[in-house]
């Protein structure tokens, strides 16, 4: 990018932000401010020449961030007018959240903190236990760790303590992240803090471990809570001599926070997911007391997955067809099956696009499924007695009756989709399971 373009973009964004701010569109303004700050920081990093230029950009950033914080606080409360610039109101909150104030003046730091707060999922994803096919043991273990202790606290007194750390490991696309979403949905009495490793890694020395600390503090304040760290391997791989100082610090902080002196982790569950568990540091591994293997789906689970992925799309598949599909997809992961089904779902659309002849049929109107109409059009072969020569552009939008999804389409997609998981990784995962894990 040419010099100055990032800065220009940042300035444009900030102009928009102040405009929206003035017009009282605080939602929009906040978005623009945050965006702009990101660009400013980029320009400091890659463009700005000389310390003085950098310093002045930094100061500007600080102002915009302060304003953004206020807008955020205002939007959260949803009633009070945003306080005028210069008011100290929101600073107090910040401090109690972060637990350290020495770097308050660093815009990047503030940004990361707000990002950490943003990582808390407030809107719950809508994935139920029943949406996850198979994985019964994993589901049981998660219920035991998450739902039961909250519902029946008296069961978990004395020596019977709930699990504090659960690691989900297995080949890619088998539903580890998906299962975590189900936990977030179903455990609706606890706070679900979902963070990815990249939320926690910062380029500033000493900042990453503070973020880890903040994360756990946040969880303690809002307990019962669940901290979910996806792809935990990138954060906690084994300590070696040549790793960077900051990576080591993150790990150390993690070890201390998860099970250290003076840290009360009652009511906090750390849930991790990874597909390369063998790179995890041994001490981290130990802190995940339960390590559950999320394997490739069994035949039965695969059949369920085909059904789940089809959802309520109109189709002609029978129970036997699902069984046949399941038996043909040995070695496919849940994500692979998702792709097969999506491809199959697209084929009726392709047929509509390429058809040269249509015919009239009777069926539910696309506008209102409860109304049956006679004049729908569906693709047909040129040899059909009712065939009318036309293409899809001539079909009115509320007159199309799309062909149903059939077994033929499924088999066709299946023949062109290969499984993504390779043998080599499976061997390593099996080995890890033998050594450290349990079946899920
Ligand atoms: N057991 C399952 N039941 C239903 N859907 C599944 C299942 N497993 C996988 N899927 C489908 O596959 C998609 C991908 O799964 P997910 O993102 O959870 O994979 P993952 O195990 O986290 O993979 P990675 O290790 O690569 O992160 C999901 O969005 C879901 O649609
Ligand atoms: Mg995942």
């Amino acid at each position: 990018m040419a010099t100055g373009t990032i800065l220009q973009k940042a300035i444009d964004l900030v102009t928009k932000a102040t405009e929206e701010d003035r017009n009282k569109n605080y939602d929009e303004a906040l978005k623009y401010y945050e965006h702009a700050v990101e660009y400013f920081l980029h320009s400091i990093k890659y463009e700005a020449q000389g310390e003085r230029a950098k310093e002045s950009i930094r100061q500007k950033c600080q102002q915009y961030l302060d304003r953004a914080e206020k807008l955020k606080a205002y939007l959260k409360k949803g009633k009070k007018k945003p306080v005028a610039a210069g008011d100290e109101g929101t600073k107090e909150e910040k401090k109690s959240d972060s637990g350290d104030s020495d770097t308050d003046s660093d815009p990047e730091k503030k940004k990361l903190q707000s990002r950490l707060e943003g990582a808390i999922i407030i809107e719950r994803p809508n994935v139920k236990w029943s949406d996850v096919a198979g994985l019964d043991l994993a589901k049981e273990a998660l219920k035991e760790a998450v739902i039961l202790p909250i519902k029946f606290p008296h069961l978990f007194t004395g020596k019977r303590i709930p699990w504090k750390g659960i690691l989900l490991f297995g080949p890619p696309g088998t539903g580890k992240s998906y299962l975590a979403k189900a936990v977030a949905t179903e455990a609706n009495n606890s706070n679900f803090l979902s963070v990815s490793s990249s939320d926690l890694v910062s380029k500033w020395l000493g900042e990453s471990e503070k973020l880890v600390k903040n994360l756990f503090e946040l969880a303690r304040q809002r307990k019962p809570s669940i901290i979910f760290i996806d792809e935990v391997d990138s954060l906690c791989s084994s300590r070696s001599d040549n790793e960077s100082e900051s990576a080591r610090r993150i790990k150390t902080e993690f070890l201390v926070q998860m099970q250290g002196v003076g840290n009360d982790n009652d009511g906090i569950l750390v849930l991790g997911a990874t597909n390369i568990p063998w790179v995890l540091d041994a001490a981290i591994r130990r802190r995940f007391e339960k390590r559950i293997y999320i394997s490739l789906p069994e035949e039965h689970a695969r059949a369920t997955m085909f059904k789940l992925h089809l959802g309520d799309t109109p189709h002609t598949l029978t129970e036997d067809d699902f069984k046949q599909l399941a038996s043909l997809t040995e070695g496919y992961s849940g994500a692979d099956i998702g792709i097969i089904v999506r491809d199959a779902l697209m084929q009726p659309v392709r047929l509509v696009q390429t058809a040269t002849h249509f015919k009239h049929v009777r069926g539910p109107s696309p506008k209102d499924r409860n109304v049956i109409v006679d004049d729908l059009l569906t693709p047909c072969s040129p040899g059909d007695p009712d065939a009318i020569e036309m293409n899809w552009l001539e079909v009115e939008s509320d007159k199309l009756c799309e062909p149903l999804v059939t077994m033929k389409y499924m088999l066709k997609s299946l023949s062109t989709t290969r499984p993504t998981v390779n043998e080599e990784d499976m061997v390593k995962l099996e080995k890890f399971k033998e050594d450290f894990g349990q079946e899920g």
Side-chain angles (χ1 to χ4, degrees):
M1 221 181 250
T3 313
T5 46
I6 305 182
L7 190 59
Q8 190 52 49
K9 173 97 190 173
I11 293 169
D12 289 349
L13 283 166
V14 126
T15 318
K16 277 195 196 136
T18 41
E19 233 166 66
E20 298 289 352
D21 201 351
R22 221 178 304 126
N23 295 336
K24 302 203 166 54
N25 296 329
Y26 299 125
D27 251 331
E28 286 297 305
L30 176 62
K31 241 184 273 162
Y32 281 124
Y33 277 127
E34 282 178 343
H35 224 104
V37 167
E38 216 149 287
Y39 273 94
F40 276 125
L41 291 170
H42 257 280
S43 83
I44 294 181
K45 202 165 153 204
Y46 300 113
E47 274 183 2
Q49 313 266 316
E51 269 315 305
R52 282 188 54 194
K54 285 186 189 175
E55 192 43 47
S56 77
I57 297 177
R58 235 176 244 138
Q59 277 177 8
K60 279 279 164 211
C61 270
Q62 183 62 48
Q63 278 179 17
Y64 300 138
L65 272 170
D66 282 343
R67 184 64 191 155
E69 281 305 324
K70 275 176 196 136
L71 291 181
K72 202 184 273 172
Y74 163 71
L75 289 170
K76 229 186 230 168
K77 282 182 194 133
K79 42 181 198 276
K80 224 173 71 192
K81 280 240 160 238
V83 272
D87 193 299
E88 298 292 284
T90 49
K91 276 245 174 81
E92 288 299 311
E93 273 179 32
K94 264 256 76 71
K95 276 185 199 162
S96 61
D97 269 1
S98 63
D100 70 298
S101 53
D102 50 334
T103 38
D104 240 11
S105 55
D106 182 350
E108 176 92 351
K109 165 86 183 173
K110 259 194 154 177
K111 184 169 149 269
L112 282 166
Q113 278 179 349
S114 63
R115 206 205 286 169
L116 191 56
E117 283 180 10
I120 304 167
I121 297 187
I122 298 168
E123 266 175 89
R124 291 183 177 274
N126 192 16
V127 181
K128 291 185 283 302
W129 292 125
S130 55
D131 292 336
V132 183
L135 308 180
D136 292 326
L137 291 172
K139 281 192 230 171
E140 286 315 311
L142 287 170
K143 282 180 201 165
E144 189 180 301
V146 179
I147 315 278
L148 285 179
I150 294 169
K151 188 149 188 200
F152 306 113
H154 63 273
L155 272 181
F156 294 87
T157 47
K159 290 280 176 221
R160 196 187 287 136
I161 38 178
W163 302 109
K164 297 274 172 61
I166 298 184
L167 178 70
L168 305 174
F169 68 96
T174 43
K176 297 180 292 299
S177 310
Y178 200 56
L179 200 55
K181 279 192 197 163
V183 174
T185 313
E186 300 274 355
N188 47 15
N189 288 324
S190 30
N191 285 297
F192 193 83
L193 287 80
S194 168
V195 285
S196 72
S197 307
S198 60
D199 286 328
L200 295 178
V201 178
S202 152
K203 61 181 181 296
W204 299 111
L205 189 68
E207 201 171 69
S208 298
E209 64 261 29
K210 273 188 198 142
L211 279 172
V212 174
K213 195 170 163 199
N214 287 349
L215 173 68
F216 277 83
E217 260 161 30
L218 214 61
R220 277 184 208 116
Q221 280 167 17
R222 297 166 193 230
K223 70 185 178 186
S225 45
I226 303 162
I227 300 178
F228 173 57
I229 306 173
D230 212 350
E231 318 296 345
V232 64
D233 46 88
S234 58
L235 204 62
C236 301
S237 50
S238 59
R239 285 166 289 184
S240 62
D241 289 341
N242 56 3
E243 74 180 349
S244 70
E245 175 67 17
S246 69
R248 184 186 293 265
R249 281 157 175 253
I250 294 181
K251 250 169 276 170
T252 314
E253 188 62 41
F254 211 84
L255 291 173
V256 173
Q257 289 297 334
M258 263 187 93
Q259 204 182 81
V261 182
N263 287 317
D264 164 29
N265 278 2
D266 260 358
I268 299 181
L269 168 74
V270 182
L271 192 60
T274 173
N275 46 35
I276 37 175
W278 51 89
V279 305
L280 285 188
D281 187 90
I284 297 271
R285 192 171 63 220
R286 178 175 81 75
R287 276 158 180 78
F288 286 109
E289 302 152 319
K290 238 176 151 48
R291 295 172 287 269
I292 305 175
Y293 183 43
I294 308 292
S295 59
L296 286 172
E298 308 271 313
E299 185 160 340
H300 185 70
R302 292 199 295 270
T304 318
M305 271 180 211
F306 274 106
K307 280 183 213 163
L308 283 174
H309 285 299
L310 264 175
D312 51 9
T313 319
H315 65 81
T316 60
L317 274 78
T318 61
E319 210 52 43
D320 280 342
D321 290 339
F322 284 117
K323 275 199 191 125
Q324 194 194 340
L325 285 170
S327 71
L328 288 171
T329 42
E330 176 79 53
Y332 283 71
S333 70
D336 295 336
I337 292 178
I339 287 173
I340 295 178
V341 175
R342 255 172 59 201
D343 190 61
L345 292 186
M346 282 313 285
Q347 289 189 40
V349 180
R350 277 179 218 140
L351 190 65
V352 169
Q353 271 181 315
T354 54
T356 54
H357 290 73
F358 285 77
K359 68 174 177 186
H360 283 291
V361 287
R362 189 179 150 80
S365 158
K367 267 195 187 152
D368 183 354
R369 288 259 161 212
N370 296 322
V371 180
I372 303 291
V373 289
D374 284 324
D375 57 349
L376 296 176
L377 285 160
T378 196
C380 67
S381 82
D384 198 289
D386 300 327
I388 310 167
E389 190 172 350
M390 64 194 292
N391 64 32
W392 63 276
L393 291 168
E394 296 162 66
V395 180
E396 280 175 51
S397 53
D398 59 343
K399 291 287 179 255
L400 179 72
C401 169
E402 83 273 15
L404 297 180
V405 178
T406 62
M407 186 63 175
K408 193 181 85 194
Y409 293 141
M410 285 292 190
L411 291 174
K412 193 167 162 213
S413 323
L414 179 58
S415 66
T416 54
T417 314
R418 308 295 334 143
T420 46
V421 179
N422 70 17
E423 207 48 50
E424 226 171 279
D425 286 349
M426 283 308 288
V427 174
K428 279 195 197 162
L429 284 163
E430 290 287 341
K431 173 94 173 50
F432 186 87
K433 186 192 85 187
E434 293 295 309
D435 292 349
F436 307 108
Q438 71 178 72
E439 200 80 48

